[in-house]
Amino acid sequence: MKYTGLPRRRDPSRAEERVPSMKPLSLVAAALLAAVADASSIGGADYTPLDARDGLAHSPPHYPSPWMDPKATGWEDAYAKAKAFVSQLTLLEKVNITTGTGWMSGPCVGNVGAVPRLGLKALCMQDGPLGLRFSDYNSAFPVAVTSGATWSKHLWRDRGKAMGEEAKGKGVDVLLGPVAGPIGRAPEGGRNAEGFGADPYLQGQGLASTSVGIQEAGVVACAKHYVANEQEHFRQSGESQGRGFNISESLSSNIDDKTMHELYAWPFADAVKAGVGSIMCSYNQINNSYGCQNSKLLNGILKGEMGFQGFVMSDWQAQHAGAATAAAGLDMTMPGDTTFNTGYSFWGGNLTLGVINGTVPEWRIDDMVMRIMAAYFKVGRTLQNQVPTNFNSWTRDSYGWEDQAAKENWGLINQQVDVRADHANHIRESAAKGTVILKNSGVLPLNKPKFVAVVGEDAGSNPKGPNGCPDRGCDDGTLAMIWGSGTSNFPYLITPDSALQAQAIKDGTRYESILTNYAWEQTQALVTQPNVTAIVFANAGGGEGYIDVDGNAGDRKNLTLWKNGDDLIKNVSSVNPNTIVVLHTSGPVLVTDWYNNPNITAIVWAGMPGQESGNSLTDILYGKRSPGRSPFTWGPTRKSYGTDVMYKPNNGDGAPQDDFTEGVFIDYRHFDKVAPNKGDAGAPIYEFGFGLNWGDFKYSNLQVQKHNVRPYQPTTGKTIKAPEFGNFSTDLKDYAFPKGIRYIYQWIYPWLNSTTSGKEASGDPHYGKTAKEFLPPGAIDGSPQPLQGASGAPGGNRQLWDVLYTVTATITNNGKAMSDEVPQLYVSLGGKDEPVRVLRGFDRIERIAPGESRQFRAELTRRDVSNWDVKTQNWVITKAPKTVYVGSSSRKLPLKAALQ
Ligand SMILES: *[C@@H]1O[C@H](CO)[C@@H](O)[C@H](O)[C@H]1NC(C)=O
Ligand SMILES: *[C@@H]1O[C@H](CO)[C@@H](O)[C@H](O)[C@H]1NC(C)=O
Ligand SMILES: *[C@@H]1O[C@H](CO)[C@@H](O)[C@H](O)[C@H]1NC(C)=O
Ligand SMILES: *[C@@H]1O[C@H](CO)[C@@H](O)[C@H](O)[C@H]1NC(C)=O
Ligand SMILES: *[C@@H]1O[C@H](CO)[C@@H](O)[C@H](O)[C@H]1NC(C)=O
Ligand SMILES: *[C@@H]1O[C@H](CO)[C@@H](O)[C@H](O)[C@H]1NC(C)=O
Ligand SMILES: *[C@@H]1O[C@H](CO)[C@@H](O)[C@H](O)[C@H]1NC(C)=O
Ligand SMILES: *[C@@H]1O[C@H](CO)[C@@H](O)[C@H](O)[C@H]1NC(C)=O
């Protein structure tokens, strides 16, 4: 990859723009774009999603980058501590804290520099969203999609806390999760399972609860990937070139302002409200401006409107410019080098130079460090309670190179600290509660069956071991995790085969298993015996784009089961009248061909359950725990979703242009629009929010209580002037690489190699451009700035969280067994272009006894009943009539009432 270092934001105001090569769009694409441009619901004010000059989406500039607010709710104390610390730092020390030391130059997937003078260790950033990657004696938690399927805020928080404790025990300071981007626009999206389900409200609750849990444990959470990182294909040009796609820039997710607010950015506001300490910007471009230098999204929406006080960290090599990224709101570059192991950085020495020469104002670097240190202090860290990093990502050996890239500094680098505590209990419980029963003709729960026959490779172990494939990049044996950076090493993996066999032996059940999909003769002989309960296993994976498994380069290439799974299910059910299907998948698969077969007596989606897989599944099949609800729709065909991954570039060797023309209509919102009734062509087989359980629940007595709140006031006024903490010299000689320190190969330092001239020290042929010459107007202006109407506190204008309605309903278990129930609340916001309904509340009410009634209660905030208005750039409650619905899924909504 070749980076010029010039900013690539397409601000019309900038003369220096290096416009990526654009090929003319196809007529169809142009027509689609024209349609978007004409729609009056988008655009407005000074925002034009499409640039009239070239027909491409563009992102409006937003400068300067907002600085921290000393009075921001929940951050006051952290601010004061950060101010006391940052005020003592030199410029070099500040740069050290913002810049990674380079790929594999440190024990963690990312480390910034330390401040030895004041005793601050090098902060450690480590994957990922389901617990620790690249370590040992850690737990392997359920993947977030399975956690999402629990619909349980307290389980999300517990999971976050357990993951945070493990991170803390290993000396990790920032855990790189949770995820709400991708949100799940296309069911094929490779990393969808890293998030909580295909809805912004559900994602927001999952993101916020998990962040709170992680931070309670004393570790900074990192909500990612901000934003619209909806597919793996073309997320990075280098990766794409390696696959034979000669694109010069990352894919651009082209999204209108309303859809951005109501769908893609929505969950991040919940995390910001909950106090998340960091946010990771994504690889993709948004409206042709890179995620990590998109000033509208970082400065305007995240730090401005949402009032985010923590720090923005780049995804790994997602930074594509130096001073321009600082101006656009990036606070930390990861892993620090331009691309892995170049030894050069857009920041490091370049940032030191940028501050000295005035292209990066002092207030901006001070704000970067303030944000990083405030997040650190906010979660309870102090200089006294630091945990030294006691593991090393790059080897499991005890002794090795501390600097793996340079092969320097041999020593004890892995201390095998066991951080698992009793987290296995939580993992078993939450994976069971996130298992979804899609069909049950009465066979479940199993009760001492006479004979169980388990069929399918997905029930057994990987012959190469649970960690046999790097970053879980294969589909061998039972599937319990996605692949890529969002993975952990398993401490053990309980297979369905081993857990079901143990249960069978305990019950006196006869048990046999055939752990291959390709032994039909033996399978047939087994499942045609009398009295067999056949449990057939099949799976479909998914993961991150740098790994290709069987032609699935992260994103799935189809929505069918893998390894002949459909045929296995069809074959067994054609000869066995009691076939239970268990699916381990990263998202929906097509069950159209066989779900209706009466011989298939149960269908269970076991998601991606983590280390306790077999135990969790057994707990559900035998009725020891209550199952969850599907966090996405099971459509009848691939086409029925209305969205898909873009698999071929559509803009020559320029950035592929992915127009999100469906707007907010993804998953159930799309299905509700095009196929509202059960019999309609393209109607879901199993809808969003659906799942059976052990009870028989009746919903009654819907009550809506309206609260009197004062009318919405857009925030007015101005920020304080950008504060500066400390001062610095402009003499290059003061920044020379110190004599007494050994230069480690490929390390990124804050010092300068040369002090003769900035140009020589930087090595950038374009060196010498002033801020005026290449940054947009206002980029370095530290004077008080007008506050945005939608802003006011972390999460946005405080009044967005005013409770307007309290909704209650009675849930009665008329069944014969105790069960959890997941009541869901949907709101119709009205208006002709709005979704039929959107999720705006839910609860998991646990252990409702037969005959027992419990109350479901939900609070609807102003934000919950508002739409984003592009003209006023604020949330508004439209005049359209609004209706609230309560029920057990997005389509089973027996209760409804008008919202007055
Ligand atoms: C400074 O950044 C430019 C790109 O903007 C890069 O080419 C150069 O190598 C960097 N210099 C250092 C010392 O890392
Ligand atoms: C920057 O961090 C590195 C590595 O952690 C450390 O060796 C160096 O002394 C730090 N530089 C300054 C100026 O503190
Ligand atoms: C790839 O694209 C670049 C321009 O972006 C061009 O110079 C180069 O020749 C192309 N390579 C191939 C193999 O097409
Ligand atoms: C200041 O330093 C930055 C970072 O190296 C560089 O991009 C810019 O061209 C320099 N500008 C001036 C005026 O020296
Ligand atoms: C076992 O199968 C036989 C023959 O189909 C049937 O008569 C018997 O009732 C079955 N027993 C059980 C416990 O299902
Ligand atoms: C779908 O992809 C899987 C995994 O690569 C593959 O096993 C399967 O054969 C594909 N299905 C079809 C219908 O091509
Ligand atoms: C169901 O299983 C029986 C064998 O028990 C078989 O004869 C029948 O054809 C199967 N039905 C279907 C629809 O596959
Ligand atoms: C700085 O100098 C060292 C050796 O003195 C060299 O190895 C390294 O590549 C240089 N780094 C940069 C960023 O120019």
Side-chain angles (χ1 to χ4, degrees):
M1 266 178 285
K2 213 174 67 207
Y3 298 125
T4 64
L6 286 176
R8 306 216 174 136
R9 196 180 331 84
R10 305 188 51 253
D11 290 331
S13 49
R14 285 193 15 259
E16 295 302 321
E17 187 67 12
R18 174 193 167 285
V19 179
S21 61
M22 305 285 176
K23 287 277 161 66
L25 291 172
S26 72
L27 283 178
V28 180
L32 274 174
L33 287 167
V36 174
D38 288 345
S40 57
S41 60
I42 57 170
D46 58 348
Y47 179 65
T48 29
L50 299 175
D51 189 325
R53 293 170 311 172
D54 55 12
L56 293 176
H58 90 113
S59 196
H62 190 113
Y63 296 93
S65 186
W67 37 91
M68 282 187 82
D69 173 4
K71 299 203 186 84
T73 318
W75 288 82
E76 304 91 333
D77 191 41
Y79 187 97
K81 287 177 178 152
K83 183 177 166 184
F85 181 78
V86 175
S87 301
Q88 300 172 58
L89 298 177
T90 65
L91 174 56
L92 289 164
E93 288 165 340
K94 289 172 185 170
V95 169
N96 236 14
I97 290 174
T98 64
T99 304
T101 53
W103 180 238
M104 296 176 112
S105 292
C108 304
V109 295
N111 306 266
V112 290
V115 182
R117 186 175 64 88
L118 299 174
L120 179 72
K121 72 172 241 203
L123 300 185
C124 160
M125 275 38 81
Q126 191 72 5
D127 294 310
L130 54 67
L132 292 174
R133 181 187 185 201
F134 288 156
S135 71
D136 49 20
Y137 300 92
N138 57 271
S139 302
F141 289 84
V143 181
V145 74
T146 283
S147 187
T150 66
W151 298 64
S152 167
K153 288 169 220 172
H154 85 83
L155 286 174
W156 294 335
R157 188 163 171 168
D158 292 351
R159 176 171 170 273
K161 181 140 187 273
M163 296 192 306
E165 284 165 356
E166 297 200 5
K168 186 169 185 193
K170 292 278 187 188
V172 170
D173 302 288
V174 184
L175 184 62
L176 304 175
V179 170
I183 207 165
R185 172 184 184 247
E188 299 82 0
R191 299 182 80 175
N192 290 357
E194 290 187 36
F196 298 85
D199 173 83
Y201 185 89
L202 183 65
Q203 292 273 12
Q205 300 294 314
L207 202 69
S209 308
T210 309
S211 301
V212 167
I214 292 171
Q215 297 194 164
E216 264 170 1
V219 168
V220 179
C222 179
K224 64 186 195 178
H225 306 86
Y226 186 76
V227 64
N229 193 167
E230 294 296 320
Q231 65 169 57
E232 294 301 285
H233 281 75
F234 319 126
R235 63 185 188 146
Q236 294 190 89
S237 54
E239 194 173 87
S240 307
Q241 285 155 14
R243 298 231 163 87
F245 295 111
N246 188 25
I247 55 166
S248 55
E249 309 286 345
S250 300
L251 172 136
S252 176
S253 297
N254 299 330
I255 306 180
D256 65 85
D257 192 31
K258 181 172 188 287
T259 301
M260 177 57 73
H261 280 84
E262 295 184 3
L263 183 56
Y264 295 99
W266 176 286
F268 290 93
D270 289 303
V272 171
K273 171 122 193 344
V276 73
S278 68
I279 286 190
M280 185 187 290
C281 48
S282 56
Y283 285 124
N284 55 294
Q285 303 192 69
I286 303 95
N287 298 331
N288 290 297
S289 171
Y290 274 102
C292 292
Q293 68 185 77
N294 188 314
S295 64
K296 167 73 182 172
L297 283 160
L298 301 180
N299 291 343
I301 297 179
L302 182 62
K303 291 180 174 179
E305 265 167 59
M306 293 183 196
F308 175 56
Q309 302 293 312
F311 63 100
V312 176
M313 174 199 305
S314 73
D315 203 339
W316 270 232
Q317 38 181 35
Q319 187 189 26
H320 298 273
T325 57
L330 185 70
D331 301 304
M332 181 188 279
T333 172
M334 277 291 138
D337 29 25
T338 47
T339 55
F340 291 172
N341 302 113
T342 55
Y344 298 107
S345 179
F346 291 112
W347 285 3
N350 268 325
L351 185 55
T352 307
L353 285 167
V355 176
I356 297 170
N357 74 26
T359 49
V360 178
E362 187 192 353
W363 60 259
R364 182 73 266 270
I365 186 163
D366 285 357
D367 184 57
M368 294 176 192
V369 189
M370 280 293 291
R371 288 171 175 273
I372 295 166
M373 294 313 297
Y376 179 85
F377 291 123
K378 185 175 195 296
V379 302
R381 287 289 170 102
T382 64
L383 291 183
Q384 289 70 45
N385 69 7
Q386 301 180 70
V387 184
T389 304
N390 55 38
F391 76 104
N392 189 289
S393 297
W394 318 113
T395 172
R396 298 273 54 81
D397 295 346
S398 298
Y399 288 84
W401 305 114
E402 271 171 40
D403 300 302
Q404 179 66 29
K407 307 249 179 302
E408 285 206 37
N409 293 323
W410 185 263
L412 176 64
I413 56 172
N414 274 312
Q415 298 172 37
Q416 291 84 32
V417 177
D418 195 329
V419 292
R420 292 173 295 163
D422 61 355
H423 300 157
N425 296 334
H426 163 82
I427 293 168
R428 178 173 180 163
E429 178 189 345
S430 65
K433 289 179 170 178
T435 298
V436 180
I437 300 178
L438 297 169
K439 177 177 180 180
N440 181 14
S441 51
V443 62
L444 299 181
L446 297 173
N447 179 19
K448 302 196 165 123
K450 197 172 168 74
F451 181 17
V452 166
V454 160
V455 177
E457 178 183 318
D458 180 66
S461 51
N462 179 350
K464 299 189 213 100
N467 300 314
C469 308
D471 287 336
R472 312 296 80 79
C474 63
D475 180 26
D476 296 325
T478 195
L479 188 69
M481 214 181 260
I482 55 158
W483 73 73
S485 64
T487 52
S488 289
N489 288 326
F490 286 105
Y492 56 76
L493 174 54
I494 311 244
T495 63
D497 179 45
S498 67
L500 288 167
Q501 172 168 297
Q503 179 70 44
I505 291 167
K506 207 168 113 203
D507 290 344
T509 297
R510 187 183 148 207
Y511 183 87
E512 282 188 44
S513 56
I514 297 177
L515 302 176
T516 164
N517 296 357
Y518 304 100
W520 179 238
E521 198 184 318
Q522 293 83 348
T523 301
Q524 188 174 23
L526 178 64
V527 301
T528 51
Q529 294 179 37
N531 309 117
V532 175
T533 304
I535 311 182
V536 186
F537 285 79
N539 68 28
E544 193 173 350
Y546 65 91
I547 298 174
D548 181 316
V549 177
D550 193 32
N552 301 272
D555 304 315
R556 283 189 281 164
K557 67 184 181 212
N558 64 44
L559 290 182
T560 56
L561 289 165
W562 292 20
K563 291 195 158 173
N564 217 22
D566 285 296
D567 285 347
L568 187 68
I569 292 167
K570 284 185 204 165
N571 288 345
V572 172
S573 59
S574 73
V575 296
N576 175 292
N578 187 15
T579 303
I580 297 172
V581 173
V582 175
L583 303 174
H584 287 117
T585 68
S586 58
V589 289
L590 303 179
V591 301
T592 320
D593 286 354
W594 46 261
Y595 80 101
N596 244 339
N597 184 334
N599 286 352
I600 295 183
T601 49
I603 301 173
V604 174
W605 177 66
M608 301 190 127
Q611 71 187 41
E612 291 281 327
S613 174
N615 286 337
S616 303
L617 178 68
T618 304
D619 288 348
I620 289 302
L621 294 181
Y622 284 80
K624 297 180 218 176
R625 294 233 189 245
S626 285
R629 292 283 157 85
S630 181
F632 48 76
T633 300
W634 301 68
T637 61
R638 180 174 189 165
K639 261 198 132 132
S640 68
Y641 287 88
T643 47
D644 206 330
V645 161
M646 177 189 286
Y647 295 91
K648 292 259 152 57
N650 65 351
N651 187 26
D653 51 24
Q657 300 293 313
D658 196 0
D659 301 324
F660 288 23
T661 48
E662 73 289 342
V664 297
F665 292 92
I666 65 161
D667 201 82
Y668 69 91
R669 299 155 174 234
H670 163 76
F671 285 94
D672 287 354
K673 181 178 170 186
V674 303
N677 303 306
K678 203 169 166 68
D680 294 343
I685 290 179
Y686 302 116
E687 71 271 18
F688 176 86
F690 174 75
L692 303 168
N693 58 29
W694 310 128
D696 176 9
F697 290 96
K698 188 172 153 251
Y699 284 66
S700 62
N701 194 25
L702 182 68
Q703 307 270 347
V704 180
Q705 191 196 344
K706 189 178 178 193
H707 303 286
N708 285 322
V709 294
R710 71 203 157 91
Y712 187 63
Q713 295 289 329
T715 296
T716 54
K718 287 194 164 187
T719 66
I720 58 167
K721 171 174 176 297
E724 291 172 354
F725 305 103
N727 44 43
F728 61 94
S729 112
T730 51
D731 185 349
L732 290 187
K733 295 204 173 45
D734 294 333
Y735 301 93
F737 198 94
K739 291 224 158 47
I741 293 187
R742 181 177 156 71
Y743 197 107
I744 297 171
Y745 176 60
Q746 289 182 347
W747 252 66
I748 304 302
Y749 294 97
W751 291 296
L752 310 178
N753 260 10
S754 156
T755 55
T756 12
S757 73
K759 185 160 188 146
E760 201 174 303
S762 162
D764 181 351
H766 303 280
Y767 189 91
K769 296 252 154 59
T770 62
K772 248 214 170 84
E773 284 173 302
F774 81 109
L775 294 176
I780 63 169
D781 180 2
S783 67
Q785 297 296 312
L787 292 166
Q788 300 178 52
S791 73
N797 190 312
R798 279 169 217 276
Q799 283 184 279
L800 293 173
W801 270 269
D802 288 348
V803 175
L804 268 49
Y805 303 95
T806 300
V807 180
T808 55
T810 304
I811 317 292
T812 307
N813 187 353
N814 290 332
K816 294 195 174 62
M818 163 111 68
S819 182
D820 297 0
E821 173 64 356
V822 182
Q824 297 159 42
L825 182 155
Y826 293 80
V827 173
S828 164
L829 292 170
K832 73 174 174 38
D833 297 326
E834 294 304 316
V836 175
R837 282 178 285 272
V838 293
L839 181 73
R840 285 295 188 259
F842 60 85
D843 193 9
R844 184 181 182 113
I845 304 181
E846 304 203 2
R847 302 179 60 80
I848 310 177
E852 191 186 353
S853 289
R854 298 264 282 273
Q855 195 187 58
F856 166 64
R857 185 189 162 91
E859 297 193 318
L860 284 177
T861 64
R862 183 188 303 277
R863 176 187 185 232
D864 289 333
V865 295
S866 293
N867 284 105
W868 180 255
D869 182 55
V870 298
K871 292 236 156 60
T872 57
Q873 287 289 297
N874 213 330
W875 296 95
V876 294
I877 301 176
T878 64
K879 293 219 164 61
K882 309 205 183 317
T883 313
V884 61
Y885 299 82
V886 173
S888 61
S889 82
S890 61
R891 289 192 170 214
K892 293 196 179 53
L893 297 163
L895 307 180
K896 71 171 192 176
L899 288 177
Q900 304 300 332

